Each structure stands twice: as structure tokens, then as C-alpha cells.
Amino acid sequence: MAVAAAPSSSRAGRRLVGRVARSEGATGWLFASPAAILIAIFGLLPIAWSLLLSFQKADLLTPDTPWVGTANYRQMANDPLFAGAIQHTIVYTSLFVPGTIVVGFLIAVALNRKIRGISIYRTAAYVTMAVSSISAAIVFLWLFDPVYGVVNYGLSLLHLPQQPFMSDPSQALFVIVLMTVWGWTGFAVVIYLAALQGIPQDVLDAAAIDGASRFTVLRTIVVPLLSPATLFLVVWLTINALQLFDEVYLSTRGGPLYSTSVVVYYLWDQAFRQFNAGYAAAMAYALFLVIALVTAIQFWLGEKFVHYSS
Amino acid sequence: MTVHTVVTVPDDVVSGTSTSNPVPDARRSRAPSPWHLVLIPITFVLLVPLLWMLITSLETPDEAAQFPPTLVPHDIRWANYPDALNAAPFGQFFLNSAIVAVVVVLSNVVLCSLAGYAFARLQFPGKSLLFASLMVTLMVPFQVTMIPEFLIVKWLGIHVASGVGIDHLGALIVPNLVTAFGIFFLRQFFRTIPVELEEAARIDGTSRIGVLFKIVLPLSLPALSTLAALTFLDSWNNFLWPLIVIDSQSNMTLPLGLTFFQSAHATQWTLLMAGNVMSLLPMLVIFFAAQRYFVRSVAATGLKG
Amino acid sequence: MAQVELRNVTRRYGSDVFALRDLNLDVADGEFIILVGPSGCGKSTALRLLAGLDKPTSGDILIGGQVVNSMLPGERDIAMVFQNYALYPHMSVYRNLAYGLKQRKTPKHEVDERVRRTSTMLGLESLLERKPAQLSGGQRQRVAMGRALVREPRVFLLDEPLSNLDAKLRSEVRGELKRLHHRLGITTIYVTHDQVEAMTLGDRICVMSEGTLQQLGTPQEIYESPANVFVAGFMGSPAMNLARVPLVAGQVLWGGLPVAHVELGLDEVVVGVRPESFRVVGADEPAAVATVDFVEPLGSHNLVHVRMEASGAPSPAGAPSPQTAELVVAQVPTHERPTPGSRIRLGIDPMDVYLFHPASGVALTEVQLSPIARIS
Ligand SMILES: Nc1ncnc2c1ncn2[C@@H]1O[C@H](COP(=O)(O)OP(=O)(O)O)[C@@H](O)[C@H]1O
Ligand SMILES: [Mg+2]
């Protein structure tokens, strides 16, 4: 504090400074310690413990956790169920992320105009943000019910064959893609609308005068200028996609026979159903590494292709 | 949570009720824009899941179990709602969710404010180390920590108090009393408040805690309510952690309770949808009461249910 | 190249905001015409209508003799320079210049050749690989001009293109614009609110106010015979001194000096005198007497701010006192440097006095020629 430090040439002044600094340190710890203790117990300690567990055999029940070295990590390489979970996660992510981005982009473009009632349309797009993953999954299960579902009814109206959806392992993942795309649409729309409003109108006018059609303006001006928003969405949606769990649990329990299990579902199953906590911890760390790596790669690619203004 | 990008959303984007109405274009206002032809189907498709949930929740079980589906119920059956409350303790789930959410929100607002202020403005030994650990916990996904967290909660239940142990509401509350995200979020906000305001009060002899409560927090109401809304959303919609630590029906929160009901009464779609509507209501109320706010908060932090 | 015509063009927003009201304008092939007027008078609207970025509520727009009302901007073969340049931020200078040509499916080697030629003309050769964010304000302005020029359009539209440049750069670019126009002869419509730019650049000037055309003419005509009070007050720097003066038996007395005689049965007129029309005179010459308020030395001349004293004319009994203490600016040679508070005698040649109708603001000579037509 400037005031306290003013008479610092005198000994008393220096003492005052010392006292202020000490009391500030004490206040700082006083303020931070409740949070620090909780973060230490429920944040830091688990991070370290999890790493330890990943080198142990643990079943969550007995206190005895023998050291197994890298066995858990080696097991991942030889576990066909884990390989399947990875495969499903990759399929899911590579459909969900582009799907949400394309849907969000198109809706945002349609919503980016000043016409009567536009706020009603926007509200409808945003409301999906308030729906929890479990609520959304339950509704989609009902919409895609193989017997009574509205979607099958819609297909019948179009004279298309009825689909088993959730009861068919090869279709269940796609229904999950649809329900999560729906759930994240509002988010993608807000991000894109905010970015669209940041594009100066006169730049779009200039392109129109230069002879570009509306579609060409979209392709050559709007899409590149939205690339920071797109990068943000790609990173964020990927992180969330890699952690998919709720919808899988609710709709298929990963089944039948793990045919729809994704990494986090398998991990949870191993930890809390099969009581292979050490193995699950190793998978969690692997997942963490993958997320970090994917994020880093996306940012690196972003540096090369994303246009940041100014 | 791994990335924290602050997305600023212009007012115009989030407004549900447009305040700044531009002078309508004379030429266009005569004929409705053709864009309505695009926007109406889009809106319809987006709303179908919610509409269908509502419709089913008002149908008789017979109507729900028909193909082709009954798109408009013949007589509206409100009784599905009390029936749902009888078939499963939805009231109890609701209460549990509310207790957990309210306690977690309050404690986050208080504890994150205190810690956030310390990180933003105070010098204390070990601060940078503490802050670095905060950032680490921000970056590590929940899946890494959930197994040890389970063991810690189990230990606490046995050795400290059964109320915070496995299969108790405390297990849903205690690990979430404070979040690294909340601390970081408020710290960032506090740093934008001009330090001169605080210095002036300090010179007038106000204590640190006084400065925090009389100067900083009143100026931070937008950030505090964002944190409160998101913490509530997170808590209300959380599924994986309750699934891990809660076993008995009486301690289930809504998402877990719904899941439980769904697997127990797989064919009672009308009751399930009634329960689903009830569980959605609080979030929808918050959404419509403060849409501008809600949308901006979610966009700014990337957190959603 | 082409002539441009606006026929009874009106652009209305909502039910009562008239950005343009019944505007008629003929621009000859190869002409450099200026739209000038205060902010909000509809200049940009006029330009956007010409570009096709906006559509008129009523009226026709013709380019090269053809009605283009329903043509898209890209089909009109015009180019536009925007106030904030509107460069494509994610493209290099080269790609900014080439964009319009590519949209027109120009062969690649020709695109390249034209981009090189234009960038040489504007001194942009060394900047071709840069992005707009890496350019200075002046360089961005040049790129914006280059992007318009490279297409060799029929019509060149510029909306306050120099307003974001500092004063020195502005006068440099002004000269350059003039040279470019001379060399290329493209029909140019240039919007500005700066009357210095208007006077120095245009073949003709179109002065606008509140969406309507006030006067169209060469810079000389606009300066020497402003059509109304608005034009008189807007064009010229420093601005013309304007004052309401009561008529005493048809006599216009200004600062005690009789400056004109009006026989139209009016009670008062608006008198206008340009600062540069005053002369400081000795006691032997007839003059308006004024008290010096302060002096602004400008190097080449001084601006003397004075308060006109009450009219020397005897006011008829009972009538309100004629105007008092009117603030007036006079431009005088540098050696005239009166001290504040001193009295100064200002001579005026009656030929330099402008008179305007007190109600309509129309220049009185015109009223006298056709008194009914203009006062509506
Ligand atoms: N999109 C619009 N909606 C409503 N009013 C507008 C719109 N665009 C321009 N105006 C109004 O039209 C008038 C002329 O605007 P403009 O042509 O931009 O003026 P200038 O370029 O001469 O400053 C202004 O009063 C402005 O408020
Ligand atoms: Mg303008």
C-alpha cells in the first residue's frame, strides 16, 4: 500500500510495512484456505492418488492394493473391449463434433437477420441449453422408440422402412449422436451468432460489389472470418465428446455386450462394476493424455488456419 | 473442464425480448420476410422433443402406446403428474436436487469469492504454487479424479461423519463445495475492477474483508450471478457422480431418479415424461426469467447440462 | 465508363424517416462529382443505392443509360471505396485486389497482370503478401483504392475515403485522386462532409441537406452564388457570416453601414458576408464598426472575431431595438493585428453581400427573378 510505505525511511515505517505485509499474508491465507483445503482434498489428492492407483491392483473394497507396475497400462493395449470403446468414441466424436458445428452454423446464419419475431426463433434455439443430458436422452429414447416412436411414424409417412434404432447396436450410437447434437445446438448457435455479429457489414458489402454471390460470400468471407469461433467449438465439443457417458448409460448401458460402450462408460464399468479400479485409473490417465494431445493438436492446426482479427 | 475461453456475446444476440428495435424497413415490412419459411421448420424441429415430452405427459397410457402415435391427446390427463409422484418419489428427488444445488451454490459463491479475491489482490506466501495447483485441477478431467474421490468420500463416511459418506446427500455436496473453475472465474473478474476503488476504501480504514464485501462483491454481482447460475445448472444436471455414490432411492437426485424410474417402469412413458417435465421446470424457469443472462453465462464458460 | 442518373429517387425508412427525398442527379461520363453535406443528410444512402446495396423506395437509378434498380451490386460494374476500407481481413493484399476479378472469372494470368499493374500504380508492390492488419492506415486506404481500381469499373464510388487519415496524408491522397481521375477518366461519385475536399476535388458539387438536393454546380458557382442560406453557410471556410437584419424602408444596414436595398415588402432579410470580403478601412471610408473579441493568427492571414455594434440606424420609436452585438469573423492580412477590446472599422463592397429570404432562405436574387416558384 502506497500510504503505509510512505515513511519507509524510518525504522517505524519499515516495521509498519512489515506488519502490513505480514497481515496481508495472513489475510490472504485466511481467505484462500477453506478453498485451498477443499481443492487439496478433492482435487489435488485424487490426481496423485489416481496416478498411484494406475500402477496398482485395486478393487475399491479391500484396503490391500498391490503394486503391479505398468500392467494396467499394458492391459489397455490387449483389451478388445477397450479397443471397441475407443472405436465407438472415435466414431461418435467424428460425427458429433462436425454435426453440431454444421447445424449450429446453418441455424446461426438463418437467425442472423433483423426480421419480425427473430427473438422467438432465437429463444427456441437456445432453450436446448437448459435441458440436461438425462432429460434429453429420455425424450429421444421415446422419439426413437422402435414400436411407438414418432420418428418411425414419420418414416412410415414417407414410405420408408421402420427402424429398430436403440435396439440395434449399429444404430444406437447414431441416435446418441442426434440427441447430443440437439442438446448442444443452442450453444453452437450462440457462439456463431456472436461471431457473425462481429463481421463488419461493409466487408460483406464490398464482397457483394466485387461480384460474389451470397453463397460465395458465405464461403469465402463469412466462413473464414468465423474460424476462431469454429476452432473454439471444435476444441470444446471434442473435449465433451470424448467424455460422453450419461446418454450411453441411460439409453443402452453400453450394450448389448459393450457394442455401444464408449471410453468413459467402459472406464466407469471397470471401476464401479467390475471393481478393477487400478485399470480404470490407468484408462482415465490415458484419456486425460489424449484430451490434452487432441487439444494441443487442434490449437496447433488453428494457428495455421485460423484467422484472428487484428 | 480444460479450456476457458471468454466469449463475449453482444446483447442483440442473447436478447429474448429485443429492446433495441431498429426502425423497420418500410419496403420489407409490408411483406413478411421469406426467411420465416426457413426459420419456422427449424424452430419446429428444435422444439419437437420438448413438445413431444409435454404431449406424452398429458396422454393416457393407452394413447401413448399406440401406433401411429396420438399427436393430439383426446382428453388431457393431468393425473399423470400425481401418478408419477406416487410411482416414484419424484418429490423426494426434487427436494434432494434442490438441497444439494442450493448448498453447493451458496458455498461456491462465498468460498470462491474469498479465494478469488485472495488470488486477485492479496500477496501471501505460497500463492503462486497454490494458483498453479488450481490450474492443474482445472485441466484434469473428472474421470481421473472420480475413483479416488469415491474412496475419499467412503473414508470420510466411516471416519468423520456418516452424513458425508457413500449413499448420503453430503457425498454430493462436500466434494463440490468449491470449484477451481469458480475461483478462477471470479479472480479474472475481480482483476478487472479498478484497484483505486479498493485503495480509497483502505485509506479510509476499511479492513480487507470490508473492502471485499462493501466494494468488490457489489461490483461483481454479474459475475457472481453467472457463477451461481452455472453452479446450479451443473449441480442440477449432474449425473455421473450421483450414480457413483448414491444407491438408495431416498437419496437420489432428479437425473438419477429419472434413470432409476426409467429402468424400473420402462413402458410407462406417460409417467416418465411427466417426471421429466417436472425435473426440467426449474431450469426452464431460470432460462426464461433470465434468458439474456443464462445464455451469456453458458456461452462465456462453455458449461452446460 | 458511363453516365449515371438518379430520377426522383426516394429512400424512406419506416414510415417517416426520409434518408433521401426525390433526388435528381445527372452525372456525365467521366465526371468527378461530389456529394457533400452534414452527417446524416443521406449521402451514404445515395451511394448505397447506386451500388445496389440498398433499393430505392421509389424512383429510378440509371447507369450507362440503363435502369439498374433490380440489378445486384456485382452486376452493375461499379466499385466502391468504404470509409473504413472494408478490406477482407483474412486475405493478403494480393488476394484483396484479385478477389473481384476472380468473381468475374478473369483468367489467372490476367488477374495477375492487373493486380501487378494496379499495385505498381499505387506503390503497393512491396505489400502484396501482407494482411490488412499489418498495414498502416494510409496503406490500407491505398489497398482499398486499389481494390476498386483494379476492376476498371464503369463507375467509381467513394464514401468518405479520406476521413480516417491524418491531415497531411489526406491532402497527399487528395492530389493523387485527382491525378488518377485525370489519367483514367472513370466516372466518379465521391461522398464527403468536408467542404475543402468538395471544393478541391469535384468537377461539380452536389450539396445536400436532410435528404434533399440543395444546389448542384461547379465549385465556383457554389462559392460565388449559393442558392440558399444552407449552402452559403455550409460551403466556404471559415463559414460565411449570416445575420438576420431588419429592413428600415428597404435599407439593409449592417453594423451601421448600408449594404443593400431591398424592395420586396419584407420586414427583414438574412445578410451574408464571407469573412474574406471584409477590408479594414480608415476613418474616412464608410464602414461597419465593431469591437474586437479575439484574433486567431493563421500565418497567411489573421481571423479577427468581432462583435458588431448595434445598427447605427435610428430605430423607429416603439420598434424593438435592432440586432446588437452580432458575432462576426473577418479575414484580414497578417499585418492587421488589432488588440482585443479595440474598435475596428470593416469595409464591405456591396457586391460581396448576399441576401436571403428570411423565411425560405432562398437567395434573394432568385426570388426576385421568380418570387413564387421557390418559396414553397
Ligand atoms: N437502416 C436504416 N434504418 C433507419 N434509418 C436509417 C438507416 N440507414 C440510414 N438511416 C437514416 O437515414 C439518414 C441518412 O443516413 P446516411 O445516408 O448514412 O447519412 P450520411 O452518409 O450523409 O451521414 C440518417 O438520418 C439515418 O439515420
Ligand atoms: Mg455516411
Side-chain angles (χ1 to χ4, degrees):
Chain A
M1 279 284 90
V3 176
S8 64
S9 59
S10 72
R11 182 171 292 192
R14 237 173 281 138
R15 244 195 339 257
L16 185 56
V17 172
R19 207 171 66 220
V20 166
R22 253 200 321 280
S23 84
E24 183 171 313
T27 315
W29 269 106
L30 191 70
F31 283 14
S33 51
I37 292 168
L38 284 163
I39 295 277
I41 296 176
F42 294 104
L44 291 176
L45 172 62
I47 292 172
W49 193 348
S50 205
L51 188 62
L52 187 69
L53 276 175
S54 74
F55 295 100
Q56 292 176 330
K57 183 171 167 45
D59 60 8
L60 300 179
L61 305 169
T62 48
D64 183 31
T65 54
W67 186 263
V68 295
T70 57
N72 289 326
Y73 289 94
R74 277 181 280 123
Q75 188 184 344
M76 273 188 266
N78 304 315
D79 181 350
L81 292 180
F82 183 59
I86 289 176
Q87 195 200 330
H88 302 142
T89 306
I90 291 173
V91 170
Y92 168 76
T93 304
S94 52
L95 291 172
F96 164 76
V97 175
T100 309
I101 283 177
V102 169
V103 168
F105 171 78
L106 292 178
I107 295 179
V109 167
L111 286 173
N112 185 34
R113 55 204 72 247
K114 286 182 170 142
I115 58 175
R116 209 158 280 174
I118 194 70
S119 54
I120 298 172
Y121 297 125
R122 287 186 185 170
T123 301
Y126 299 157
V127 77
T128 62
M129 284 195 275
V131 182
S132 75
S133 48
I134 290 297
S135 289
I138 290 176
V139 179
F140 270 76
L141 275 192
W142 177 221
L143 287 169
F144 284 86
D145 189 272
V147 184
Y148 305 114
V150 187
V151 176
N152 260 334
Y153 174 61
L155 290 178
S156 74
L157 291 182
L158 298 171
H159 303 288
L160 293 170
Q162 303 287 289
Q163 299 299 323
F165 295 125
M166 279 317 197
S167 31
D168 180 342
S170 66
Q171 291 186 10
L173 204 58
F174 296 96
V175 178
I176 290 174
V177 169
L178 286 179
M179 67 176 77
T180 47
V181 167
W182 179 81
W184 282 90
T185 294
F187 178 70
V189 167
V190 181
I191 299 295
Y192 270 134
L193 261 180
L196 280 168
Q197 310 252 307
I199 299 180
Q201 181 60 39
D202 59 2
V203 171
L204 305 175
D205 288 345
I209 290 177
D210 264 345
S213 66
R214 279 194 193 191
F215 179 73
T216 310
V217 174
L218 208 60
R219 188 173 55 82
T220 59
I221 311 283
V222 175
V223 169
L225 290 184
L226 290 182
S227 52
T230 306
L231 175 66
F232 168 70
L233 282 172
V234 167
V235 172
W236 193 251
L237 294 174
T238 305
I239 290 170
N240 277 280
L242 296 176
Q243 301 182 49
L244 177 72
F245 176 83
D246 300 3
E247 289 85 352
V248 172
Y249 180 90
L250 188 105
S251 46
T252 62
R253 301 282 200 279
L257 282 174
Y258 294 99
S259 65
T260 57
S261 98
V262 287
V263 169
V264 174
Y265 184 84
Y266 187 62
L267 191 165
W268 168 84
D269 184 72
Q270 284 296 315
F272 298 101
R273 285 286 159 89
Q274 318 299 329
F275 301 108
N276 292 325
Y279 183 38
M283 284 191 282
Y285 258 94
L287 176 70
F288 175 29
L289 279 181
V290 169
I291 288 177
L293 202 67
V294 168
T295 308
I297 290 173
Q298 286 168 341
F299 275 116
W300 177 74
L301 286 175
E303 282 301 305
K304 291 177 71 172
F305 298 111
V306 167
H307 165 76
Y308 290 102
S309 55
S310 78
Chain B
M1 285 150 240
T2 316
V3 184
H4 295 283
T5 308
V6 173
V7 179
T8 38
V9 180
D11 239 1
D12 182 46
V13 168
V14 294
S15 61
T17 49
S18 181
T19 48
S20 59
N21 241 332
V23 182
D25 183 318
R27 192 172 34 80
R28 263 177 271 167
S29 64
R30 268 181 227 133
S33 163
W35 278 97
H36 289 290
L37 296 178
V38 177
L39 289 167
I40 289 171
I42 289 176
T43 306
F44 181 73
V45 169
L46 284 175
L47 291 183
V48 155
L50 296 178
L51 286 176
W52 192 234
M53 165 165 48
L54 187 66
I55 289 173
T56 307
S57 78
L58 296 172
E59 284 181 343
T60 61
D62 285 347
E63 275 176 338
Q66 265 173 19
F67 194 87
T70 316
L71 297 183
V72 183
H74 294 297
D75 39 20
I76 293 187
R77 188 167 190 276
W78 294 106
N80 286 334
Y81 287 79
D83 286 0
L85 290 173
N86 290 332
F90 276 110
Q92 184 70 50
F93 300 157
F94 201 98
L95 188 67
N96 293 341
S97 276
I99 290 170
V100 172
V102 168
V103 175
V104 166
V105 166
L106 289 179
S107 104
N108 263 279
V109 167
V110 174
L111 297 182
C112 295
S113 291
L114 287 170
Y117 183 72
F119 282 119
R121 286 283 189 258
L122 302 178
Q123 293 306 321
F124 55 94
K127 174 179 165 179
S128 47
L129 188 67
L130 210 57
F131 191 70
S133 357
L134 203 67
M135 298 318 289
V136 169
T137 57
L138 255 179
M139 280 188 294
V140 176
F142 174 64
Q143 290 79 18
V144 168
T145 57
M146 67 184 185
I147 299 166
E149 276 190 65
F150 171 84
L151 294 170
I152 291 166
V153 164
K154 190 173 152 189
W155 186 89
L156 286 175
I158 295 166
H159 297 281
V160 179
S162 64
V164 297
I166 297 300
D167 202 18
H168 285 88
L169 282 189
L172 300 179
I173 293 171
V174 176
N176 296 316
L177 284 174
V178 68
T179 55
F181 166 74
I183 298 172
F184 180 71
F185 180 74
L186 289 185
R187 169 196 181 253
Q188 297 302 86
F189 189 86
F190 291 158
R191 280 158 60 104
T192 64
I193 296 175
V195 75
E196 291 79 11
L197 287 175
E198 297 171 44
E199 280 172 353
R202 298 264 296 139
I203 290 165
D204 289 343
T206 316
S207 67
R208 278 293 180 184
I209 196 104
V211 168
L212 177 59
F213 279 90
K214 289 192 195 123
I215 312 273
V216 176
L217 292 185
L219 288 172
S220 307
L221 280 182
L224 291 173
S225 18
T226 297
L227 180 67
L230 289 172
T231 312
F232 189 89
L233 180 75
D234 223 28
S235 176
W236 194 264
N237 293 342
N238 193 3
F239 178 69
L240 181 50
W241 181 242
L243 176 70
I244 292 171
V245 291
I246 300 295
D247 297 319
S248 17
Q249 231 192 74
S250 61
N251 287 325
M252 284 181 176
T253 51
L254 272 168
L256 195 57
L258 275 174
T259 312
F260 166 80
F261 184 86
Q262 186 244 357
S263 40
H265 309 264
T267 53
Q268 289 173 290
W269 286 106
T270 53
L271 303 191
L272 187 57
M273 291 302 144
N276 211 355
V277 169
M278 288 189 278
S279 86
L280 258 178
L281 275 181
M283 290 322 304
L284 289 182
V285 167
I286 293 180
F287 175 80
F288 282 108
Q291 182 184 342
R292 204 175 272 255
Y293 219 78
F294 184 96
V295 170
R296 190 171 293 155
S297 303
V298 174
T301 56
L303 303 179
K304 69 174 285 298
Chain C
M1 270 154 280
Q3 77 269 29
V4 171
E5 213 180 315
L6 297 180
R7 283 192 196 149
N8 306 99
V9 171
T10 294
R11 178 66 173 100
R12 196 179 62 211
Y13 291 104
S15 55
D16 53 357
V17 180
F18 281 87
L20 282 182
R21 201 190 284 263
D22 203 20
L23 183 67
N24 283 288
L25 182 64
D26 258 304
V27 185
D29 190 4
E31 193 178 11
F32 198 126
I33 201 160
I34 310 280
L35 302 188
V36 69
S39 179
C41 73
K43 310 177 298 283
S44 297
T45 304
L47 222 52
R48 292 175 61 81
L49 291 174
L50 278 168
L53 298 171
D54 196 356
K55 293 213 159 53
T57 312
S58 63
D60 286 325
I61 295 163
L62 290 85
I63 297 177
Q66 184 194 6
V67 177
V68 295
N69 283 20
S70 56
M71 274 165 88
L72 293 175
E75 300 167 347
R76 297 187 180 197
D77 197 14
I78 41 112
M80 185 155 168
V81 177
F82 293 81
Q83 185 170 3
N84 295 317
Y85 314 138
L87 301 179
Y88 309 126
H90 56 301
M91 298 185 192
S92 65
V93 170
Y94 184 99
R95 293 217 296 141
N96 262 280
L97 296 184
Y99 188 81
L101 297 172
K102 278 190 193 147
Q103 300 311 318
R104 289 177 164 66
K105 310 260 180 295
T106 314
K108 212 172 166 79
H109 65 273
E110 199 190 327
V111 172
D112 194 62
E113 198 213 296
R114 279 164 75 168
V115 169
R116 306 261 165 220
R117 185 149 32 96
T118 307
S119 50
T120 310
M121 186 161 68
L122 293 170
L124 294 170
E125 306 99 312
S126 59
L127 308 175
L128 287 175
E129 294 316 312
R130 297 223 198 144
K131 296 268 178 74
Q134 302 165 303
L135 301 176
S136 70
Q139 289 168 333
R140 281 181 215 179
Q141 207 277 337
R142 264 160 203 281
V143 176
M145 302 241 298
R147 186 174 64 181
L149 284 172
V150 74
R151 296 223 329 263
E152 296 168 13
R154 293 194 292 174
V155 182
F156 206 23
L157 308 174
L158 301 100
D159 192 352
E160 313 218 6
L162 308 185
S163 59
N164 288 335
L165 301 181
D166 60 51
K168 182 163 175 292
L169 208 50
R170 205 179 303 165
S171 79
E172 268 173 40
V173 180
R174 221 160 51 207
E176 200 166 347
L177 264 172
K178 206 152 185 171
R179 275 197 299 280
L180 275 172
H181 178 255
H182 192 72
R183 196 163 124 201
L184 303 171
I186 299 175
T187 312
T188 303
I189 299 172
Y190 184 105
V191 160
T192 180
H193 65 267
D194 175 21
Q195 44 98 14
V196 176
E197 268 171 39
M199 295 296 285
T200 52
L201 276 173
D203 294 332
R204 282 195 300 160
I205 299 175
C206 165
V207 185
M208 296 173 60
S209 169
E210 295 180 358
T212 55
L213 176 67
Q214 301 294 318
Q215 188 173 6
L216 178 63
T218 64
Q220 203 64 26
E221 283 164 5
I222 300 273
Y223 180 81
E224 285 179 354
S225 35
N228 56 35
V229 172
F230 176 80
V231 177
F234 188 75
M235 299 300 290
S237 173
M240 182 188 281
N241 298 294
L242 291 164
R244 261 174 201 279
V245 174
L247 287 177
V248 182
Q251 275 274 75
V252 182
L253 285 174
W254 206 42
L257 182 70
V259 291
H261 191 84
V262 181
E263 302 205 349
L264 283 169
L266 293 169
D267 294 336
E268 56 171 10
V269 288
V270 175
V271 176
V273 181
R274 290 201 186 277
E276 52 271 36
S277 303
F278 289 108
R279 278 175 308 117
V280 179
V281 295
D284 51 338
E285 279 186 66
V289 183
T291 310
V292 175
D293 207 10
F294 62 96
V295 180
E296 286 181 292
L298 293 178
S300 58
H301 54 261
N302 292 339
L303 292 183
V304 184
H305 293 250
V306 301
R307 288 175 192 280
M308 273 298 171
E309 276 162 28
S311 167
S315 57
S321 160
Q323 34 71 246
T324 52
E326 187 73 43
L327 282 172
V328 165
V329 181
Q331 180 176 320
V332 300
T334 38
H335 64 263
E336 299 283 358
R337 202 155 174 189
T339 49
S342 67
R343 308 204 359 142
I344 189 170
R345 293 174 56 80
L346 297 170
I348 315 162
D349 185 338
M351 292 297 289
D352 292 334
V353 173
Y354 296 88
L355 296 174
F356 303 96
H357 192 281
S360 68
V362 175
L364 274 187
T365 44
E366 287 188 56
V367 175
Q368 282 155 337
L369 291 174
S370 56
I372 300 146
R374 302 301 294 269
I375 314 178
S376 44

